[in-house]
Amino acid sequence: MTDQLPEIELEDRGSKGRYLLRGPDGAEAEMTFTKIGEHQIIIDHTDVPDAFRGQGAGLRLVTRAVEDARAAGKKIIPLCPFANAQFRRHQEWADVLKQ
């Protein structure tokens, strides 16, 4: 058995979507977003249940959104307080932060 973290899944539902980590016990850590036009997304909510605490799950979710936005030439508006705090900590993400 490995203690490797699960892969992040992306669920895209048109104008909305979420990044998701599924735990072995069925727990789900998620970060939801809303698309604004073709070039912006709003990160509106991050939820990390106790099963994921201390594993960096929330940071992994935001990091994946940043990587995807960068690859697609999109900007992120981090309305979620957690995501907003991560953007303040990671100056290297400034290129995808909507000013």
Side-chain angles (χ1 to χ4, degrees), residues 22-95:
R22 293 182 205 269
D25 59 354
E28 292 182 350
E30 70 170 1
M31 185 191 70
T32 61
F33 63 88
T34 302
K35 297 176 192 172
I36 305 299
E38 294 290 308
H39 304 291
Q40 295 179 68
I41 67 165
I42 294 172
I43 295 176
D44 38 37
H45 179 70
T46 304
D47 181 45
V48 178
D50 289 340
F52 286 97
R53 294 268 183 248
Q55 300 177 43
L59 176 58
R60 286 187 62 211
L61 293 168
V62 178
T63 300
R64 169 69 187 273
V66 167
E67 292 167 352
D68 287 357
R70 188 175 281 144
K74 295 183 179 181
K75 296 288 187 186
I76 295 176
I77 302 166
L79 287 187
C80 161
F82 176 81
N84 196 348
Q86 294 303 320
F87 268 90
R88 285 197 303 275
R89 285 191 193 111
H90 295 272
Q91 298 302 311
E92 69 274 18
W93 296 350
D95 61 311

